[in-house]
Amino acid sequence: MVDAQTRTVLFETPLLEHRRAQRTGRVTLRLRTDEDVVGVRKQVRERAVAIGLSLIDQTKLVTAASELARNTIKYGGGGEVHLDAFGDGARLGIGLLFIDDGQGISDIESALRDGFTTGGGLGLGLGGSKRLVDEFDIDSRPKEGTAVLIIKWKR
């Protein structure tokens, strides 16, 4: 586990401060290996159960988290994920911010389209992840890195 104050990823993104006033907690995990992906999936599932997400919403969030964690490793060369707990007085949510120092995404619009792939896969990663969550944002700059934020709110 990486402490949020000792970040290992240098890519600076405004997404680090997204919904800061509603954030009630943050844990940062590294993403380097398949074991790290398993750890992220476990943490996300535990947090989703803890706030009472439905089984369907748990599955959607864990699926999106798994896909984005793998992308962070495969395309970004590794990085980190910030697991955030949110509360705004009326609802609870879980946010995940995946960050890497990779080559970035030169055409985000294309990358979000189903069928787009640079790695020989099915091309369902970013667009599919976006459809599984309530909020989705991406910040990517060529030769600097990529940050992808997802949030799932308890209904």
Side-chain angles (χ1 to χ4, degrees), residues 20 23 30 44 50 65 87 94 102 105-106 108 118 124 126 130-131 141 143 155:
R20 183 182 192 134
R23 189 182 314 140
R30 70 181 186 145
V44 170
I94 298 171
I105 301 169
S106 59
I108 293 172
T118 58
L124 299 174
L126 285 177
K130 182 177 181 179
R131 287 189 299 275
R141 295 184 290 277
K143 297 189 173 122
R155 300 187 195 289

Side-chain angles (χ1 to χ4, degrees), residues 12-31:
E12 290 297 324
T13 175
L15 293 178
L16 281 163
E17 299 304 317
H18 186 77
R19 293 191 179 271
R20 183 182 192 134
Q22 297 171 326
R23 189 182 314 140
T24 59
R26 171 172 275 179
V27 173
T28 303
L29 305 172
R30 70 181 186 145
L31 290 169

Side-chain angles (χ1 to χ4, degrees), residues 49-63:
V49 168
I51 70 165
L53 285 182
S54 71
L55 183 57
I56 290 170
D57 284 345
Q58 289 174 38
T59 302
K60 288 178 178 181
L61 184 60
V62 170
T63 300

Side-chain angles (χ1 to χ4, degrees), residues 71-93:
N71 283 358
T72 300
I73 295 168
K74 183 175 182 178
Y75 300 110
E80 61 193 25
V81 58
H82 300 279
L83 283 74
D84 294 332
F86 292 116
D88 68 2
R91 61 186 178 166
L92 299 173

